[in-house]
Amino acid sequence: MKKITLLLLVLLISTITVRGQIFNPIKWTTKVEKISDSKYKLITEATIKENWSLYSQEVPKGGPIPTTFTYDDNGGSLKLVGNTKEPKGKVKFTKLFNEEGMNIKSFAYKAVFEQEIELVDLKVKEVIAFVEFIACTDEKCLPPKEIDLVFDLTKSVSKSNAIANKAKSDNDSEESKKGLLSIFFIAFLSGFAALLTPCVFPMIPMTVSFFTKQSKSKAKGIKNAIIYGVSIIAIYVLLGTVVTGVFGADALNALSTNVWFNISFFLILVIFAVSFLGAFEITLPSSWATKVDSQADRGGLIGIFFMALALAIVSFSCTGPIVGTLLVEAASKGGLAPIIGMLGFSLAIALPFALFAAFPGWLNSLPKSGGWLNTVKVVLGFLELALAFKFLSNADLVMQLHLLEREVFIAIWIAIFGALTLYLLGKIQLPHDSPQKHISVGRLSLGLVVGAFTIYMLPGLWGAPLNLISAFPPPQHYSESPYGVGYTKQNSITVSSSKTDTHSNLPEGAHLMPPHDIVSFHDYDKGLAYAKKIGKPVMIDFTGHACVNCRKMEQNVWVKPKVLDVLKNKVVLISLYVDDKRALNKDEVVDSKLNPGKKLKYIGQKWSELQTLKYKANSQPFYVLMAHDETNLIDPVSYTPNADEYYNWLEKGIGNFKK
């Protein structure tokens, strides 16, 4: 009966497959590693869906068909060196193939197989093979299947490059960790800032007093306070988890260059800022606080948790704008950033409650509540207002509307921080400020620092680079006067005759990047054609109008004399903007290879797909040094803030071009 049932199951699966509803739990990909001019390693990778298994090349008698690789020797043009190597795998007991059962080696999630070959004929460019296999779960198997494999020897990677690629992958992972660490640190500081607002700070002595008085012993009070702190952390981390879950880890990162995303968060941050400045308060419905507060009286762990939730709701008018800003910034990073951000924020909020409960005597050292708490709130409001214009600038850059150019952005920041300076010096009063006859030394000091920063930004209106804030304003070429106010391209020509010779007649499709006159193409084909014409290697710069690290590279690394010399004289630069929302010409609109059924309608989509398909990367900046046959001269690099390291990469790639 079991055999009949299994046969019917196989027939049913076969019928479904014939009707076109094909289910493939195992995907196969190939790549080639070059060992020497005549020896190669053929690498086959199987990606296996969850709950499915792929069996070994050696299985017990009476078991499933083994995974078998067959390679075409191309009429004797190549020979196999040894057998196909397989990963370690795991031996599992199964009764799928007989009633007694047997131990079979299988692979889950991923399996990599390697076969060395030696070419008899060095002209061989491609190796054809096929793999026969069966895919099973613990309860069923699909019919045996054969998949054709193609190994392109012309796209092989040398062993040293393979190691370098792994190192690059490890570096990218390290950069990702650093990014999350910076999010955590900023969120932690933001949590302390929220702690010093009028809605939260007065709650510290009240809450600690409650725990110490209601607890039968000091140890019990400390325990309850710790649970209270952990509950606060859990509530905010849950919020970050929900944001990540709703939008998706990858989708959040993709949104960072979306026009409507940036405009929406500009408006949200302006509302938050105006609220902090005292125009109105953002509060959650009072009924929420009432219901949660009633649950807090239940006592025990549940009661403590609802006390923490009540704190989050009651203090929302102060913490909400900070939390919202953090989530917006974390959303632009993508991945786990919202969760890590909320962990850092909530940890800073929760720590004081636990520490003061453990050491109640410390409460005497706390400053008394007063007008200084509102000052903290107002300062945060000004900072949020300044940050809001970064999102509006992103939208303007992506659309290339030139409404918020560099000079306008800097002027707005000068106005915001100038007003903050006057506020800190007591020259401006806002609705919730208390009357005061003098200002504190701390407030005066902060006012002087903000005032100095405001003065520092003034030369930016006349073309100064402003390296301290290079990540925030639009790039220097996106301005009314790219060469500075009163300093035009004509001026630069009269100063340097060599510049006139180099740039007076730009090639078709080329642009000048002010203020250093780097010649850059924005079209791949035109840039490559020009490189072939003048005999120089190509540097592809995958960049973005809203890419912060791209601006840092251009304004902090590219301007170094030795790097600038390379970019101006030794390579042909092709800058491809992956977030360019301008429409492609009708004859350039093609089907997407990454998303079948969709069209590539915008310039940025075209370059983004090129980067993903050709270089298996989708982050910016991303730099490629390329020969005229479009092969890499050296492994591509991403954000490299060390100018010496970047210069060495350029020189090594150019050296390979000359060989």
Side-chain angles (χ1 to χ4, degrees):
M1 186 65 184
K2 287 184 178 179
K3 290 183 178 179
I4 295 174
T5 304
L6 183 59
L7 180 60
L8 289 173
L9 179 61
V10 172
L11 287 172
L12 177 60
I13 293 171
S14 300
T15 303
I16 291 173
T17 304
V18 170
R19 290 180 180 176
Q21 300 178 13
I22 300 172
F23 175 64
N24 296 317
I26 301 178
K27 304 290 185 184
W28 297 87
T29 56
T30 63
K31 60 182 178 181
V32 182
E33 182 181 308
K34 186 175 182 179
I35 300 173
S36 66
D37 289 341
S38 61
K39 286 188 177 182
Y40 293 83
K41 184 184 290 183
L42 309 181
I43 302 171
T44 307
E45 183 174 308
T47 303
I48 308 163
K49 283 187 176 292
E50 189 175 5
N51 299 323
W52 288 84
S53 296
L54 173 71
Y55 290 111
S56 168
Q57 298 176 91
E58 297 181 5
V59 298
K61 187 176 181 181
I65 68 163
T67 299
T68 306
F69 291 88
T70 304
Y71 301 89
D72 184 358
D73 67 358
N74 201 10
S77 298
L78 61 92
K79 60 182 180 180
L80 304 182
V81 180
N83 298 320
T84 302
K85 296 178 182 178
E86 66 181 26
K88 187 175 180 181
K90 185 177 181 180
V91 177
K92 293 172 62 178
F93 181 78
T94 178
K95 290 187 176 182
L96 268 177
F97 306 102
N98 60 40
E99 293 184 356
E100 291 78 19
M102 60 180 68
N103 289 314
I104 308 177
K105 180 181 175 182
S106 63
F107 313 106
Y109 298 107
K110 187 172 81 169
V112 179
F113 301 87
E114 298 179 350
Q115 173 65 58
E116 284 192 23
I117 64 166
E118 185 173 0
L119 299 185
V120 177
D121 182 357
L122 297 181
K123 294 180 181 179
V124 173
K125 304 296 183 185
E126 186 177 81
V127 178
I128 305 297
F130 69 85
V131 58
E132 184 181 11
F133 65 97
I134 186 170
C136 299
T137 66
D138 291 338
E139 300 173 351
K140 63 182 179 181
C141 291
L142 294 179
K145 193 170 185 179
E146 286 186 5
I147 294 291
D148 292 328
L149 304 172
V150 179
F151 299 90
D152 189 344
L153 303 186
T154 64
K155 295 182 179 179
S156 62
V157 179
S158 67
K159 188 172 183 179
S160 59
N161 283 346
I163 295 171
N165 287 338
K166 184 181 183 303
K168 179 182 179 299
S169 176
D170 293 341
N171 288 337
D172 289 344
S173 176
E174 188 64 27
E175 286 297 322
S176 177
K177 289 178 182 177
K178 288 180 181 178
L180 290 177
L181 188 63
S182 65
I183 284 287
F184 177 86
F185 182 69
I186 293 169
F188 190 78
L189 294 180
S190 300
F192 273 122
L195 200 64
L196 300 178
T197 57
C199 315
V200 182
F201 189 79
M203 298 286 287
I204 297 175
M206 292 170 56
T207 305
V208 172
S209 176
F210 172 83
F211 282 125
T212 53
K213 288 180 180 179
Q214 296 297 319
S215 303
K216 295 180 180 179
S217 65
K218 182 179 179 181
K220 183 70 173 177
I222 294 173
K223 177 185 174 183
N224 289 342
I226 292 174
I227 295 172
Y228 181 73
V230 170
S231 298
I232 292 172
I233 294 172
I235 289 166
Y236 283 103
V237 169
L238 179 62
L239 176 62
T241 305
V242 169
V243 170
T244 303
V246 169
F247 292 100
D250 295 329
L252 286 171
N253 191 40
L255 283 172
S256 62
T257 58
N258 182 277
V259 172
W260 298 113
F261 172 89
N262 281 281
I263 292 176
S264 298
F265 280 110
F266 162 72
L267 296 173
I268 290 172
L269 291 186
V270 167
I271 293 171
F272 286 163
V274 173
S275 170
F276 265 174
L277 294 177
F280 52 83
E281 285 195 352
I282 302 173
T283 58
L284 295 174
S286 58
S287 59
W288 291 17
T290 303
K291 290 179 181 178
V292 170
D293 198 44
S294 65
Q295 295 294 322
D297 296 332
R298 295 174 60 178
L301 295 178
I302 295 177
I304 294 174
F305 176 81
F306 277 101
M307 280 187 64
L309 186 57
L311 171 69
I313 293 174
V314 170
S315 63
F316 183 80
S317 61
C318 289
T319 59
I322 300 174
V323 169
T325 305
L326 276 174
L327 286 175
V328 168
E329 186 62 26
S332 66
K333 306 294 181 187
L336 297 175
I339 298 174
I340 298 298
M342 288 300 94
L343 176 62
F345 178 83
S346 57
L347 187 62
I349 293 283
L351 270 177
F353 289 95
L355 290 175
F356 283 112
F359 308 99
W362 290 4
L363 288 173
N364 297 326
S365 63
L366 280 179
K368 295 181 180 180
S369 300
W372 68 272
L373 292 174
N374 187 66
T375 301
V376 172
K377 192 175 174 183
V378 170
V379 170
L380 292 174
F382 276 108
L383 293 178
E384 289 208 340
L385 188 60
L387 180 61
F389 280 93
K390 173 58 182 172
F391 288 93
L392 186 62
S393 173
N394 286 347
D396 182 63
L397 280 164
V398 170
M399 294 296 291
Q400 291 289 287
L401 297 176
H402 288 268
L403 298 176
L404 192 60
E405 294 182 320
R406 184 177 175 86
E407 293 90 345
V408 178
F409 183 96
I410 293 173
I412 291 172
W413 267 40
I414 289 172
I416 291 172
F417 285 97
L420 176 56
T421 302
L422 294 176
Y423 172 79
L424 290 171
L425 296 178
K427 302 301 181 182
I428 296 176
Q429 281 202 328
L430 292 171
H432 295 159
D433 288 332
S434 304
Q436 54 184 358
K437 296 181 180 179
H438 65 274
I439 59 174
S440 66
V441 174
R443 183 167 173 170
L444 174 63
S445 301
L446 183 59
L448 292 175
V449 170
V450 176
F453 176 68
T454 306
I455 295 171
Y456 165 79
M457 288 190 290
L458 286 171
L461 297 173
W462 286 271
L466 303 183
N467 290 333
L468 284 179
I469 58 170
S470 60
F472 290 95
Q476 287 184 291
H477 62 80
Y478 193 82
S479 63
E480 294 178 4
S481 303
Y483 296 90
V485 176
Y487 187 76
T488 65
K489 178 62 187 147
Q490 186 60 44
N491 294 129
S492 69
I493 291 175
T494 59
V495 171
S496 172
S497 59
S498 62
K499 283 188 178 181
T500 306
D501 296 335
T502 307
H503 300 314
S504 57
N505 296 311
L506 285 174
E508 183 185 358
H511 304 265
L512 283 179
M513 291 180 64
H516 301 288
D517 287 348
I518 300 172
V519 177
S520 172
F521 288 83
H522 294 170
D523 183 274
Y524 181 90
D525 294 324
K526 291 179 179 177
L528 180 59
Y530 182 69
K532 291 178 179 178
K533 179 181 177 181
I534 64 173
K536 292 182 180 179
V538 172
M539 190 181 99
I540 304 177
D541 164 31
F542 286 101
T543 183
H545 294 296
C547 171
V548 171
N549 284 341
C550 302
R551 301 294 85 77
K552 287 181 178 178
M553 287 294 294
E554 291 164 7
Q555 297 182 31
N556 298 332
V557 177
W558 285 17
V559 297
K560 301 300 181 184
K562 57 185 180 181
V563 175
L564 188 61
D565 177 63
V566 172
L567 296 177
K568 293 179 70 172
N569 301 313
K570 297 182 180 180
V571 298
V572 173
L573 177 64
I574 304 177
S575 295
L576 304 177
Y577 289 82
V578 301
D579 58 1
D580 192 333
K581 299 300 182 183
R582 291 178 298 166
L584 287 164
N585 296 328
K586 289 184 179 180
D587 59 339
E588 293 181 299
V589 175
V590 295
D591 293 323
S592 170
K593 294 180 181 178
L594 287 175
N595 301 297
K598 293 187 177 181
K599 298 281 188 182
L600 298 181
K601 298 179 180 179
Y602 303 107
I603 294 174
Q605 289 178 325
K606 178 181 179 181
W607 304 138
S608 178
E609 182 149 312
L610 172 67
Q611 182 187 4
T612 304
L613 290 175
K614 190 169 184 179
Y615 302 105
K616 313 302 180 189
N618 61 359
S619 61
Q620 294 79 43
F622 188 78
Y623 305 108
V624 180
L625 276 173
M626 189 177 77
H628 296 160
D629 61 358
E630 302 182 63
T631 58
N632 292 349
L633 295 169
I634 189 174
D635 290 330
V637 296
S638 52
Y639 178 59
T640 311
N642 185 305
D644 290 332
E645 183 181 340
Y646 189 72
Y647 173 75
N648 291 336
W649 174 79
L650 288 168
E651 284 296 307
K652 187 174 180 181
I654 294 169
N656 292 337
F657 176 78
K658 294 176 180 178
K659 289 180 180 179

